[in-house]
Amino acid sequence: MRKPTIQDVARQAGVGVGTVSRVLNNHVAVKGATRETVLKAIADLEYTPNPHARRIAGGKSYTISVLLPVLTTEFYVRLLDGLESAFQEARYDVAIFPLLDRSRLERYLGSHTLAYQADGLVMATYNLTQMFHERRLRTQQPTVLVDAYSDTVDSSFMDNVSGGRLAGEYAVGLPGHLYAVWVETELDHLFTTRVFEDRRSGFLGVAQSAGRTVRREFTSSFDSLAARNTAVTLLDDAQAAGLPCTVFASADMLAGALLDEVNLRGLTAGRDVHVIGFDDQPWAAERGLTTLHQPVESMGYEAAHLLLSRLSGFNGPPRARRFEPRLIVRAST
Amino acid sequence: MRKPTIQDVARQAGVGVGTVSRVLNNHVAVKGATRETVLKAIADLEYTPNPHARRIAGGKSYTISVLLPVLTTEFYVRLLDGLESAFQEARYDVAIFPLLDRSRLERYLGSHTLAYQADGLVMATYNLTQMFHERRLRTQQPTVLVDAYSDTVDSSFMDNVSGGRLAGEYAVGLPGHLYAVWVETELDHLFTTRVFEDRRSGFLGVAQSAGRTVRREFTSSFDSLAARNTAVTLLDDAQAAGLPCTVFASADMLAGALLDEVNLRGLTAGRDVHVIGFDDQPWAAERGLTTLHQPVESMGYEAAHLLLSRLSGFNGPPRARRFEPRLIVRAST
DNA sequence: CCTGTTCTTGGAACGGGTTCCACGCGCGGG
DNA sequence: CCCGCGCGTGGAACCCGTTCCAAGAACAGG
């Protein structure tokens, strides 16, 4: 029982192989009735096209490279969900390269021996380096940025200024001193980019125009020990200055550490300490954390479509797709 | 500047395409001189064969699925090294599936829609389930077990009984009370198999025939907090009973936690407490840990060759390849 | 009802390998 | 010196899709 081929499908449906191929690839010019017949034949035979034959016949790799910093965080997992669902619909494979640090990224970009080059490139979060531009000129590879912005290529990104602003507008209505915690930009990692600066500028802008000052700002690296230390220092200060207080923690991870410490001190979040996070991690709902939800999947999905349109010939100027976070109010405020 | 094809190479070398293909695939029947000419042409043109064309022409996927529990541990990284180096030599790709728990494994094995089936299957550490046997019958897919044993399929594995015995033989010559620490077999994870039971039976067998008893045995789960707790309890008991003592920690991770605690108490490993580990992790040399080194890469390499021989037609009865750990004595004893 | 477009559609050519068959050449034996 | 065998080699056929061209079908306008 050999695997059925496109020939078998064509015979079964009483049409030519060209027609079957057109149905498979959604090339519009197929009449409704014919399309149905072909789809039925495909279903009956349990036909699945051979991707390798497709690649050699089409002269393309039908593969997209996705460059991202790491894939162990919620954010990138969701981002990949969005990217992969869009690429799957268009029958493209995705090759994931978690590059971790600048040297690996540059090694990847500089590599001359990209034997079977991907048809397109998705870069997540990375800032654009000089090497990137050189490589792009050399390879002509269609590229899209996601979670990052540049005016020279298509991009799909979150509006972090707006996210900071939303947090700010809500925070100024809450009682007590105002605090803010940011995430440190590690210089040898490219993936921090301007995300936290943007959140900060949005937040501070609103606070200022509301005539409020932030009592203290903190910067923590993105690990749980540092987050806990920051929480301790912050609460010491807040208790000394008098509760209640309101804290904008620009990443849920930081907010989580703060909630831990609040509980440990017998205080109550949403009464003594108001906490606003950012990310809407899966646990945020359970723990009742007020936070900003980001439509990360949509951002990925849209990025994929920007790239796909380039792949099918679109050649206009760079486009930018901006996504807005949404404030979700829960018990922590 | 198109990518060169096998046609270009044939022309350049003044031979037929068949000959070039034969050289590429090491089909013996090519005369030395001709082979040289072809190899030179390949080098001159910087020719790399198109894997997709190969797959469609050959009617095979030239891909091997490797099923393993996780790939974040030293052991599996080394195992993959061994597997991949062998498969690369034979121009096979490797697709890695870290399946983590029983349900994912069964979902993988039960799947009917393994569209472009791999030519062969490597299963690491997993015990064989009923589903596995059913699937094997259905798909006829050549299979090899690595780090596990069954008498129905080829296998390549470490002799953990022998490892335990080596540890035992050495331990009974060391002074003081005897302790042993094992790793807990989590029941919903398949990947613990009989490894630790085997080490235990080897170790206890030797101790018994030497007329020695083990003062206390501990079981710890494989995480650092549990390991540390176990170390504390063990050392409390040992100090109460009088030092020196000798401990066989059946995984370096456990041994490491023990060394930490030994240092913390101002004791000296190799004098007050003798520690024997198992694995020879990269840090074992630096920290002077006496341990059992496992030829994991060789085990993987051999597993790959067992599978490759099946793929090229070998059809004899199941074969088993057994590998022996080697005791490495360092300062901790 | 006829002619000229515009849609659809069939199928050959093609892409880059592998495999198999047939042929040529070299060598040993008679 | 001739014949036969086998090794080494060339190249056609094939694998399975995509694409493109030409031809048939359908439809609108006169």
Side-chain angles (χ1 to χ4, degrees), chain B residues 14-16 18-19 22 30-31 34 56-57:
Chain B
V15 301
T19 304
R22 268 163 244 144
V30 179
K31 228 200 288 188
T34 324
I56 106 139

Side-chain angles (χ1 to χ4, degrees), chain B residues 146-201:
Chain B
V146 61
D147 187 39
Y149 171 81
S150 153
D151 48 17
T152 62
V153 288
D154 289 341
S155 56
S156 172
F157 57 96
M158 208 56 67
D159 189 336
N160 280 293
V161 176
S162 155
R165 212 179 288 133
L166 285 170
E169 282 160 8
Y170 184 60
V172 296
L174 296 171
H177 290 300
L178 225 46
Y179 291 89
V181 188
W182 316 108
V183 173
E184 186 179 309
T185 304
E186 294 171 67
L187 285 180
D188 67 327
H189 282 58
L190 293 188
F191 58 89
T192 44
T193 58
R194 304 176 31 218
V195 169
F196 295 99
E197 288 90 317
D198 286 352
R199 291 181 190 173
R200 181 166 186 265
S201 79

Side-chain angles (χ1 to χ4, degrees), chain B residues 75 79 83 122-125 143-150 153-159 295-307 319-323:
Chain B
F75 182 85
L79 181 60
L83 288 167
V122 175
M123 290 187 62
T125 310
T143 301
V144 59
L145 257 45
V146 61
D147 187 39
Y149 171 81
S150 153
V153 288
D154 289 341
S155 56
S156 172
F157 57 96
M158 208 56 67
D159 189 336
V296 180
E297 291 90 347
S298 306
M299 179 174 76
Y301 191 86
E302 186 59 29
H305 277 288
L306 288 173
L307 188 55
R319 296 156 294 172
R321 298 278 182 275
R322 177 188 307 269
F323 290 80

Side-chain angles (χ1 to χ4, degrees), chain B residues 16-247:
Chain B
V17 292
T19 304
V20 178
S21 178
R22 268 163 244 144
V23 169
L24 286 172
N25 293 288
N26 293 313
H27 284 190
V28 274
V30 179
K31 228 200 288 188
T34 324
R35 148 173 264 107
E36 293 310 316
T37 323
V38 172
L39 289 175
K40 180 156 185 341
I42 289 175
D44 289 351
L45 296 174
E46 299 187 355
Y47 166 74
T48 40
N50 181 324
H52 308 304
R54 184 160 184 258
R55 283 189 250 261
I56 106 139
K60 305 184 216 167
S61 70
Y62 294 98
T63 300
I64 305 293
S65 292
V66 176
L67 268 50
L68 35 72
V70 290
L71 40 65
T72 47
T73 70
E74 180 71 11
F75 182 85
Y76 290 106
V77 170
R78 285 176 59 202
L79 181 60
L80 275 176
D81 263 9
L83 288 167
E84 287 188 325
S85 72
F87 284 128
Q88 240 164 49
E89 285 165 16
R91 302 177 64 205
Y92 274 79
D93 278 352
V94 171
I96 302 168
F97 297 88
L99 293 171
L100 300 154
D101 55 42
R102 176 172 236 123
S103 70
R104 289 201 210 192
L105 172 62
E106 298 197 340
R107 204 182 321 141
Y108 174 88
L109 292 179
S111 161
H112 285 258
T113 59
L114 287 167
Y116 281 82
Q117 231 182 50
D119 297 333
L121 182 64
V122 175
M123 290 187 62
T125 310
Y126 289 109
N127 278 324
L128 297 184
T129 63
Q130 186 57 30
M131 291 203 83
F132 170 75
H133 292 291
E134 284 163 16
R135 182 173 190 283
R136 210 165 88 88
L137 282 176
R138 215 173 54 239
T139 65
Q140 309 272 4
Q141 198 175 32
T143 301
V144 59
L145 257 45
V146 61
D147 187 39
Y149 171 81
S150 153
D151 48 17
T152 62
V153 288
D154 289 341
S155 56
S156 172
F157 57 96
M158 208 56 67
D159 189 336
N160 280 293
V161 176
S162 155
R165 212 179 288 133
L166 285 170
E169 282 160 8
Y170 184 60
V172 296
L174 296 171
H177 290 300
L178 225 46
Y179 291 89
V181 188
W182 316 108
V183 173
E184 186 179 309
T185 304
E186 294 171 67
L187 285 180
D188 67 327
H189 282 58
L190 293 188
F191 58 89
T192 44
T193 58
R194 304 176 31 218
V195 169
F196 295 99
E197 288 90 317
D198 286 352
R199 291 181 190 173
R200 181 166 186 265
S201 79
F203 184 80
L204 295 183
V206 167
Q208 189 165 26
S209 33
R212 294 286 299 276
T213 57
V214 175
R215 181 177 163 86
R216 259 179 89 177
E217 295 181 70
F218 295 86
T219 305
S220 165
S221 67
F222 201 85
D223 81 88
S224 51
L225 191 61
R228 138 80 39 123
N229 287 336
T230 306
V232 168
T233 320
L234 190 156
L235 286 180
D236 284 349
D237 184 90
Q239 288 188 304
L243 296 177
C245 70
T246 295
V247 185

